[in-house]
Amino acid sequence: MNFSDASSTRALRLFQCFAKEARPLSLSEISKQMDTPLSTCHALIGVLRQGGYLYTHHESKKFYPTKRLLQVAQGIAANDPLASIFEPYLRKLSEATRETVILGTRQQDSVVYLDVIEGPQVIRYTAGPGDIKPLHSSAIGKLILGEMDPDERARVIKRLALEKVTDNTVIDRAALDAAVSASHDAGYYTTRGENVSDVMAIAMPIIVQEEPLGVAVAGPLERVSAGFEAIVQELSALKSDLSKVFD
């Protein structure tokens, strides 16, 4: 397959449409969902069919992905040098806390989630690998800021667009700097309804090859607040175990 950058983005959006709709889609439905001309969608579908990533329902003339993309994704995930090491520890942490556990790292001036293990409870924080979160309003984002050299942190905070994600988001630069500095001294970072209303998260840093990654436990604010001390203990135990792995 030969994709331009724009076509590659459209291909990802196309697969996201199928994931969202969870059913075969016609050419016109794909065009509408993607807000993209029929001719462009037709050409994209042609390339993906030739590559074995889509097939056609002959009677309905609708399209659906084959399992080739799943096979590719599973091969990638199975060989992820970080996620494969972290996953059993993240699952153990989720089982112990019964909350959603997240592994994230810095991506320019944002955080990208590398892995997410959702908690077993009906009411829980929901997220997915690949989600992008702001540095200033997420627990792992604050962790990334807090683990920086103070001079670098000041430079980054100065250039961030501190958007008010919720009513509780800290958008004062001095207050944000002071908060993450205090969290660094405490050894853990928290958000209380700052990125998602009524959600609290607690994060701790794991240093891998001199780069900080964040592991966070997130869930309903009242429940996580009530279990705060136990969650911090579980995060501390995970940090201790992983420090031996990456030592």
Side-chain angles (χ1 to χ4, degrees):
M1 292 186 294
N2 185 17
F3 280 135
S4 66
D5 289 344
S7 295
S8 298
T9 301
R10 291 193 191 101
L12 292 173
R13 289 175 55 209
L14 174 60
F15 286 117
Q16 288 169 349
C17 287
F18 283 113
K20 177 183 176 182
E21 294 297 317
R23 61 182 177 85
L25 298 172
S26 68
L27 177 59
S28 61
E29 288 174 324
I30 291 169
S31 175
K32 183 178 179 180
Q33 289 281 340
M34 295 180 62
D35 192 23
T36 302
L38 281 168
S39 58
T40 302
C41 291
H42 185 269
L44 177 61
I45 288 169
V47 173
L48 291 171
R49 287 180 64 195
Q50 289 178 1
Y53 289 88
L54 292 179
Y55 72 99
T56 309
H57 289 244
H58 292 288
E59 292 186 6
S60 67
K61 304 300 182 184
K62 293 186 176 183
F63 305 95
Y64 200 73
T66 68
K67 289 189 176 182
R68 171 164 283 191
L69 183 65
L70 173 64
Q71 186 179 46
V72 171
Q74 288 175 330
I76 293 170
N79 294 286
D80 186 319
L82 285 177
S84 59
I85 294 173
F86 272 90
E87 185 177 9
Y89 295 94
L90 300 180
R91 291 195 177 279
K92 181 180 178 181
L93 180 60
S94 182
E95 290 170 2
T97 62
R98 294 182 56 79
E99 300 292 357
T100 296
V101 172
I102 305 154
L103 172 66
T105 190
R106 181 181 181 182
Q107 180 168 277
Q108 297 178 328
D109 284 348
S110 300
V111 167
V112 60
Y113 288 173
L114 302 180
D115 202 359
V116 179
I117 310 296
E118 290 197 3
Q121 307 196 65
V122 175
I123 299 175
R124 62 182 183 270
Y125 175 63
T126 299
D131 284 0
I132 306 293
K133 301 297 180 181
L135 288 177
H136 70 290
S137 62
S138 64
I140 295 178
K142 286 186 171 184
L143 179 153
I144 297 299
L145 290 171
E147 296 302 307
M148 291 178 182
D149 174 270
D151 290 338
E152 181 187 4
R153 180 168 68 240
R155 289 193 298 269
V156 172
I157 290 177
K158 184 177 179 179
R159 71 170 180 254
L160 288 178
L162 301 184
E163 298 180 0
K164 200 167 184 61
V165 184
T166 73
D167 290 341
N168 297 316
T169 305
V170 178
I171 58 173
D172 180 85
R173 298 181 195 280
L176 177 62
D177 194 6
V180 297
S181 179
S183 292
H184 176 270
D185 293 341
Y188 56 83
Y189 300 78
T190 63
T191 53
R192 295 175 180 267
E194 296 164 48
N195 194 63
V196 179
S197 297
D198 300 323
V199 168
M200 180 176 177
I202 308 167
M204 279 192 183
I206 308 295
I207 307 302
V208 179
Q209 296 179 348
E210 300 183 357
E211 292 291 332
L213 280 73
V215 175
V217 175
L221 197 155
E222 290 188 7
R223 198 166 68 206
V224 173
S225 183
F228 178 80
E229 291 185 4
I231 291 172
V232 169
Q233 289 179 357
E234 293 292 345
L235 278 165
S236 297
L238 175 141
K239 182 176 180 178
S240 177
D241 290 343
L242 283 171
S243 67
K244 299 171 186 175
V245 174
F246 294 108
D247 189 8

